[in-house]
Amino acid sequence: MNTDLSRLNQIFCQVFDNSDIRISETTSASDIPEWDSLMHIQLIVAVEKHFNIRFAPGEIEKLQSVGQFLGLIIKKTRS
Amino acid sequence: MKTLSEKELPVDSAGLLRAALDCEDGLQLARMARRWQKLESKEGRKGVFRMAFICGGSAETYLPQLRLMSAARGHLFEPMIGTFSGFSEDILDSTSKLYEFKPDMVLIHPTPLDCKSPLFPLMDHKDFHEHAKAEAERFLHLCSTLHQRAGCEVILTNFEFPWEDPLVGLPPGELTHTAYIRKVNELLAVRKPPFVHLLDVAALAYSMGGDHWHDSRLWYHAKQPCSFDGITLFAKKFAGMVAAIRGSGTKCLVLDLDNTLWGGEVGEDGMEGIRLGEGSAEGEAFKTFQTYLLGLKKRGILLAICSKNDERIAQEAFAKHPEMVLKPSDISCFVANWESKADNCLHIARQLNILPNSLALVDDHPAEREIVRQFVPEVRVLEMPEDPSFFSKTIEKAFLFETPHFTPEDLKRSEYYQIETKRREFEQKVTDFDSYLSSLEMIATVSSYELCDVARISQLFNKSNQFNLCTRRYTEEQIRKLIGNPEIVSVQIRLQDRFGDHGLISMAHAVQIGKKLLRLENWVMSCRVLKRGVEHLMCNLIVSEAKQRGMESVEFDYYPTSKNVLVKDLYQQLGLQKAFNLDSGGSRWRIDIFNYKPFSVHIRMDSLFT
């Protein structure tokens, strides 16, 4: 779980092009000002590439926080 | 697919522009575009022209990448995003923000959803054709209205094939959604006017593979028209087209020999040891690459050789190896020595009389590529893969040779440069310049602008950067209008000499102001015929025409740019008097037409100018 969080943190830093970002499970779009709908799809595609998983359209909309990302990542990588 | 590591990702503007050109990772390109945009507010960049976007999808999802890529090709624009899917709204309403913006160029990018297709399979072939034609015309009519009102060039995308087609399975030629889109695309290509430049999205999607290009979820979530990798390819094509329309583009491919045109090193392996042709898989790949290059040469791209080799050994292998597809006569400049490639590239540019930024280097060796990148940054250095089977594709995906208008001169360009090489060799043997010029036996065919030469006239105005007095660019449409205009005096010169026919190489036009004054609008000449007297001939012709019209004075303007230093002193050399300075560093010169003594030139006139 901790490794997933740190990998996800690295992805956030890359997508937002900001090496100072530190995420926690509760981090959501309201915590990162640049996290809008355009950046959201970049986040989705980057996470998919990195973890080798795929999100459905319904899931994309529900991914509002880091915790939700981690939940789906675990579900899709472990099953 | 190459992805840069965190350390390799550039932090400076120039680095980001270079990296964008070679980028294949869609997410990285998006990131580089944002990083570059952030630097913009600090650097105070200003676009050199205005570009508007009317898109069926969300332009915000890909505009940053398009802007970065276009800047990387040397054409930074100020953007404006039109109404979402507002093709009719923005274009037909003459009071729209689009016209307020005064765009120089507009990208119209509909998606397949904007291409209205009727209900299948209720139609017959005749209805099918009528509907496709009406749909193609709908878009072309919008483009024409836009061009008429705003005078801008238009880049229009065609349509990729529908993602789902329930009619698939019916025999080919039947009326499927895919066949319909194919028909509309075909009609767009065939019926489009010259100011519409068709961006072939269908070809891009095919080259990448539909699965890789398409991602419905991105459309559902943010109306992004394709995947991030698709955007990358689109951006490269777009930037290539913009560069070509605005008059820059690669004129010459500089090729290495060892492991670029054949496998192995001819100096080490000997002519018998290099791999080329049917004997091996590697050899076949290089032979195919040479065939591709020959095809480029035939359509007007110059080929030069730049190899670190003993000259005799390199030339012998090139001329004598039985599997060589390229021949010495296909090469406009052959350089083989032990000098630095950077110096050699500059030498090649000088020999061919073109600017270094018209060259692109194809070289398998990373160190050689790096030297040229560092010391001659204007030369485009292609990042080559290890496998020669992908060499031609790498060149293709750089979109260096977009050609908005193809003219007969293009087919003969390589020959023209060869003629020039022969002439130079001849020149080196002659000591008296006047006798030399006379021995060239030059004949000029002179007239006002002819309708059948409109494409070539527009091309020369748009591509000439050095001998270009006012750097005003003209579309074919604008040239046609000049021909019909009685207030305009125009001169075009066609030149031949004892070595061959050069085609149309210089043109100028001037506008009559009031009853007594003629003022030059622009004057260009191909650098291939510099300092032979064509400049003086043109001056004679303009003055002669002015006198015939009863003018009392003729004014010649000069606007300096970073590229036309060549003609800085031209007017002075022609004996004109400087009248005063103009805005933006320009100057206005006058000629005393009553006391004008025509220059004597070693050029015979074929048909007299009436």
Side-chain angles (χ1 to χ4, degrees), chain B residues 63 65 104 113 165 263 481 534:
Chain B
L63 177 55
Q65 291 96 310
D104 298 300
L113 295 173
D165 190 347
K481 289 215 173 81
V534 181

Side-chain angles (χ1 to χ4, degrees), chain B residues 128-294:
Chain B
F128 173 84
H129 192 100
E130 290 300 317
H131 272 103
K133 189 165 136 211
E135 192 60 7
E137 283 302 323
R138 183 167 77 86
F139 283 100
L140 293 179
H141 175 73
L142 285 170
C143 293
S144 293
T145 307
L146 175 56
H147 178 76
Q148 255 164 45
R149 289 187 182 167
C152 54
E153 296 291 294
V154 179
I155 299 179
L156 173 70
T157 61
N158 67 4
F159 302 98
E160 68 227 52
F161 299 150
W163 189 235
E164 297 106 354
D165 190 347
L167 304 173
V168 160
L170 292 171
E174 279 301 323
L175 310 176
T176 62
H177 294 290
T178 307
Y180 183 78
I181 292 274
R182 262 210 180 91
K183 196 66 182 169
V184 172
N185 282 352
E186 180 198 308
L187 291 168
L188 285 174
V190 159
R191 300 174 79 91
K192 69 172 192 68
F195 53 80
V196 173
H197 309 277
L198 203 59
L199 197 160
D200 196 342
V201 164
L204 294 180
Y206 173 79
S207 85
M208 177 170 270
D211 284 356
H212 194 176
W213 173 270
H214 193 93
D215 192 336
S216 307
R217 307 163 313 150
L218 302 182
W219 176 263
Y220 299 144
H221 192 82
K223 299 277 181 293
Q224 181 166 305
C226 57
S227 64
F228 287 97
D229 289 347
I231 289 174
T232 305
L233 197 60
F234 186 95
K236 287 177 180 173
K237 173 78 176 180
F238 168 82
M241 289 179 75
V242 168
I245 293 168
R246 287 176 52 80
S248 55
T250 304
K251 294 182 175 154
C252 175
L253 220 46
V254 178
L255 304 159
D256 180 40
L257 289 177
D258 295 325
N259 292 308
T260 299
L261 293 189
W262 55 61
E265 288 161 21
V266 70
E268 299 286 314
D269 307 326
M271 185 162 67
E272 332 72 51
I274 57 176
R275 278 90 63 195
L276 180 63
E278 308 287 313
S280 63
E282 190 193 5
E284 277 197 56
F286 282 110
K287 190 166 178 178
T288 304
F289 181 50
Q290 285 199 21
T291 308
Y292 169 75
L293 293 171
L294 182 61

Side-chain angles (χ1 to χ4, degrees), chain B residues 247-418:
Chain B
S248 55
T250 304
K251 294 182 175 154
C252 175
L253 220 46
V254 178
L255 304 159
D256 180 40
L257 289 177
D258 295 325
N259 292 308
T260 299
L261 293 189
W262 55 61
E265 288 161 21
V266 70
E268 299 286 314
D269 307 326
M271 185 162 67
E272 332 72 51
I274 57 176
R275 278 90 63 195
L276 180 63
E278 308 287 313
S280 63
E282 190 193 5
E284 277 197 56
F286 282 110
K287 190 166 178 178
T288 304
F289 181 50
Q290 285 199 21
T291 308
Y292 169 75
L293 293 171
L294 182 61
L296 287 181
K297 176 245 166 177
K298 285 186 177 158
R299 71 170 267 195
I301 310 303
L302 301 173
L303 301 181
I305 300 292
C306 182
S307 172
K308 271 237 164 85
N309 251 308
D310 176 271
E311 187 178 31
R312 208 183 32 85
I313 293 176
Q315 282 182 341
E316 189 178 11
F318 199 95
K320 298 215 175 109
H321 194 290
E323 296 278 6
M324 279 298 293
V325 174
L326 293 174
K327 306 264 172 290
S329 57
D330 297 318
I331 307 300
S332 301
C333 187
F334 195 112
V335 174
N337 57 33
W338 303 100
E339 313 290 319
S340 112
K341 279 226 174 172
D343 287 337
N344 281 336
C345 282
L346 287 174
H347 169 81
I348 289 169
R350 273 196 306 268
Q351 279 291 104
L352 298 176
N353 236 326
I354 57 182
L355 294 170
N357 64 12
S358 307
L359 298 181
L361 179 69
V362 179
D363 194 318
D364 72 293
H365 206 303
E368 298 286 10
R369 296 198 295 261
E370 196 48 40
I371 285 183
V372 176
R373 270 196 197 106
Q374 276 202 28
F375 290 97
V376 203
E378 316 95 286
V379 172
R380 174 71 189 272
V381 177
L382 294 173
E383 200 48 31
M384 302 306 286
E386 304 238 348
D387 186 345
S389 332
F390 293 108
F391 283 359
S392 38
K393 212 56 192 152
T394 303
I395 295 174
E396 259 188 30
K397 290 204 276 192
F399 300 108
L400 302 171
F401 312 122
E402 298 300 299
T403 309
H405 306 291
F406 191 69
T407 70
E409 266 84 355
D410 287 309
L411 287 174
K412 300 205 213 110
R413 183 162 296 118
S414 185
E415 270 82 275
Y416 289 149
Y417 279 88
Q418 242 125 48

Side-chain angles (χ1 to χ4, degrees), chain A residues 14 17 38 41 48 55, chain B residues 6 31 35 61 217 224:
Chain A
Q14 284 175 356
D17 200 29
L38 294 186
I41 54 172
E48 288 184 332
F55 296 114
Chain B
E6 285 305 300
R31 182 177 174 189
R35 193 180 270 197
T61 58
R217 307 163 313 150
Q224 181 166 305

